[in-house]
Amino acid sequence: MTRRIGIYPGTFDPITYGHMDIIKRSLTLVDKLIIAVADDMPKTPIFDLSERARLTESDVIEEGLADRVEVKGFSGLLVEFAKAQHATLIIRGLRAVSDFEYEFQLSAINSKLSPEVQTVFLPASEQHQFLASRFVKEAARLGAEVDQFVSAEVAKALKRYYA
Ligand code: ADP
């Protein structure tokens, strides 16, 4: 039987419970999920690629998903990376209306570049609608406890960064 492989790309700077929710739900669509942590993004991350990948991997292990979820860093074109990984689905999460335009354009470009790789959107769960890495970073920077948004390991890394 062919295994369906999905790619969940992003900056993951850092991974939040919103990302984790998408990861868990995407496992109903694919047999194996590769979390593709982007090296060169338009955004400037606070954590370097290896730290973002380490924190993501730590959360995947903590959630008991390591048998079906792999974390990999990538740079360059996402669709090329997806093809090299034999992935047929790109998974993206959609929050409220704010993500829509950007995500819609990105999926259109990716589908032109590589029609054999389809993008699938999963709507953010109600409790994660407004959860974004950038707000968690801003809260942590101002000294707030962020344990309700990220794992203990990620909260520790944020504390260390903003200390
Ligand atoms: P990018 O920099 O590519 O937007 P992110 O790490 O910010 O990467 O997010 C990766 C993906 O996860 C994106 O599709 C984003 O919309 C989605 N995402 C992020 N936070 C949430 C959330 N709270 N609920 C649902 N999807 C989310």
Side-chain angles (χ1 to χ4, degrees):
M1 209 177 77
T2 36
R3 296 202 323 143
R4 190 180 277 281
I5 300 173
I7 293 257
Y8 179 36
T11 315
F12 303 100
D13 185 46
I15 182 165
T16 68
Y17 288 150
H19 292 123
M20 190 48 76
D21 182 53
I22 296 289
I23 292 165
K24 286 182 187 161
R25 284 160 55 214
S26 71
L27 288 174
T28 63
L29 303 174
V30 298
D31 301 299
K32 178 182 165 184
L33 183 71
I34 297 170
I35 304 179
V37 184
D39 189 11
D40 46 15
M41 294 294 286
K43 306 175 185 172
T44 312
I46 62 167
F47 296 117
D48 64 19
L49 175 62
S50 67
E51 180 68 345
R52 285 181 281 131
R54 182 188 73 78
L55 292 169
T56 304
E57 193 146 26
S58 153
D59 279 14
V60 165
I61 293 168
E62 196 185 309
E63 295 284 342
L65 303 174
D67 56 332
R68 289 177 63 198
V69 180
E70 218 178 311
V71 179
K72 293 187 174 183
F74 85 102
S75 56
L77 268 184
L78 173 64
V79 286
E80 291 306 324
F81 182 72
K83 274 193 264 183
Q85 301 297 320
H86 307 289
T88 49
L89 285 185
I90 294 172
I91 314 268
R92 294 287 285 176
L94 268 189
R95 282 159 299 192
V97 278
S98 55
D99 284 335
F100 185 78
E101 195 172 357
Y102 174 76
E103 293 291 341
F104 198 64
Q105 287 173 349
L106 189 66
S107 72
I109 295 275
N110 282 336
S111 131
K112 283 226 158 31
L113 291 173
S114 179
E116 63 272 34
V117 184
Q118 294 295 322
T119 299
V120 175
F121 297 115
L122 291 178
S125 300
E126 202 181 348
Q127 69 268 39
H128 300 126
Q129 259 327 311
F130 300 102
L131 180 48
S133 298
R134 69 177 185 282
F135 297 135
V136 176
K137 283 182 278 190
E138 189 57 9
R141 189 177 73 80
L142 297 170
E145 293 298 330
V146 290
D147 307 60
Q148 56 179 310
F149 309 122
V150 297
S151 68
E153 191 63 22
V154 171
K156 207 164 73 184
L158 283 166
K159 267 213 172 98
R160 218 180 300 129
Y161 180 83
Y162 288 114

